[in-house]
Amino acid sequence: MSLLTRDGWLEAHAYLRPVGELCTRIERAAAGLDAENAAIPDWDLYAADYRAGVPLLASPDAAIELEPAGKMLESLVGRLASDSAGGKVASEASALAAELRARPGASRLVMDWLLGEEAFDPPSPGLLRYLGWTAAARYLFPVVDAFGRWRDEELWHRKYCPTCGSPPAMGQLVGVDPGRQRFLSCGRCGTRWRYRRTQCPFCENDSQKLSVVAVESEGGLRIDYCDTCKGYLKTYDGQGNEALMLADWTSLHLDVLAHDRGLERLAASLYDLESLRPQAAE
Ligand SMILES: [Zn+2]
Ligand SMILES: [Zn+2]
């Protein structure tokens, strides 16, 4: 079976099945939401902040309204709480739904918390973060798309996402030498942005060369790491299958491999790696 499909991938990596099924279940619930979309901002108003390195969502001049994404998140939590498939996710979602109901202004608060601007201590923070960015990515999709067409990549080259400010989750190499380029991929909002090929996206050291762990028969995935800080970035050395290969959960086994080599995951993750480790070791 082809590694290029989700089913083929799960067939070849059976230990990823629980996380794959969970993602599918959440995607299905999210697909049934009444989708609202963020309004495209006035790029001229945002241009100065962009040059200064202020991510789009943090810019008062871009003024992206986030409360509707918070409302979508509340609906998504409600859907999972009443999911007849039940299980741990449904009970965690029920507790989250109760917590959100009890909070005045929850839809705003929870978005500020996702962006690291507000303190909030929910039960199951990992699940809420995952659901929150699932809802927000849907809401923000047209803006991320328009932003990609508007921005001059030469003016960014930063180690955090130009849309939401997150460190990258993964990397991607595109094209052929000498014009080959590296992009960093955000695991939260789905933005991809250009970054220098040989510079570490964590400590920013430029050793002219990153070390690489090539992984056999993994559909173009490899591990790039920095000798200075030992941070690594899972990198997709291919094109055409980004949705699967840059999803992060599809390569959680590479995180185990990197961890076993003494490398450190400094990349952002929406997945709780510790809880996945025993499964991956099977
Ligand atoms: Zn982002
Ligand atoms: Zn480094």
Side-chain angles (χ1 to χ4, degrees):
M1 213 179 210
S2 168
L3 285 177
L4 301 180
T5 65
R6 177 184 287 227
D7 286 347
W9 191 256
L10 286 177
E11 187 125 313
H13 307 85
Y15 45 79
L16 291 173
R17 204 162 281 153
V19 66
E21 280 163 6
L22 177 60
C23 293
T24 304
R25 188 168 161 189
I26 291 169
E27 269 163 37
R28 253 190 227 125
L33 294 174
D34 291 329
E36 257 197 79
N37 286 138
I40 310 292
D42 182 335
W43 300 116
D44 290 339
L45 293 179
Y46 169 63
D49 269 355
Y50 178 67
R51 279 193 295 274
V54 180
L56 186 65
L57 298 187
S59 165
D61 291 330
I64 306 276
E65 183 53 68
L66 287 171
E67 201 170 333
K71 292 215 184 330
M72 282 169 70
L73 167 57
E74 286 177 287
S75 316
L76 180 57
V77 169
R79 276 174 166 266
L80 287 166
S82 59
D83 187 340
S84 57
K88 188 163 168 255
V89 176
S91 58
E92 284 186 35
S94 297
L96 282 172
E99 176 78 22
L100 294 173
R101 267 197 307 274
R103 294 259 176 172
S107 46
R108 176 76 234 183
L109 167 71
V110 79
M111 293 314 295
D112 288 343
W113 171 72
L114 284 178
L115 288 167
E117 291 165 0
E118 197 67 65
F120 181 38
D121 190 21
S124 312
L127 180 64
L128 186 62
R129 197 171 291 118
Y130 188 86
L131 298 179
W133 282 109
T134 300
R138 280 180 175 263
Y139 170 73
L140 291 169
F141 179 75
V143 170
V144 168
D145 188 50
F147 188 26
R149 278 179 275 118
W150 172 78
R151 71 173 178 268
D152 179 353
E153 297 280 359
E154 289 301 328
L155 298 178
W156 191 259
H157 283 297
R158 293 173 198 267
K159 61 179 181 174
Y160 53 90
C161 172
T163 305
C164 75
S166 170
M170 290 189 61
Q172 183 185 13
L173 291 167
V174 174
V176 286
D177 275 324
R180 208 156 195 235
Q181 293 180 336
R182 178 162 71 153
F183 287 80
L184 303 180
S185 160
C186 178
R188 305 201 308 193
C189 72
T191 299
R192 255 177 288 167
W193 72 100
R194 209 158 87 208
Y195 195 70
R196 287 179 190 86
R197 274 273 299 280
T198 55
Q199 191 171 12
C200 171
F202 307 112
C203 71
E204 297 183 298
N205 182 51
D206 195 339
S207 57
Q208 301 300 310
K209 194 178 174 303
L210 284 169
S211 301
V212 175
V213 182
V215 192
E216 288 296 322
S217 62
E218 280 297 337
L221 285 170
R222 59 184 228 185
I223 296 166
D224 286 10
Y225 67 94
C226 165
D227 283 311
T228 306
C229 72
K230 298 293 174 205
Y232 71 91
L233 194 68
K234 294 184 295 183
T235 298
Y236 175 42
D237 184 8
Q239 261 178 289
N241 201 22
E242 287 85 351
L244 185 66
M245 292 307 188
L246 296 176
D248 193 11
W249 70 263
T250 48
S251 55
L252 288 173
H253 50 304
L254 296 196
D255 291 292
V256 177
L257 197 79
H259 183 269
D260 290 346
R261 284 180 179 244
L263 301 173
E264 225 185 308
R265 175 144 186 164
L266 301 175
S269 181
L270 290 176
Y271 301 91
D272 182 350
L273 297 179
E274 277 311 308
S275 69
L276 288 160
R277 255 182 90 69
Q279 289 163 5
E282 267 171 23

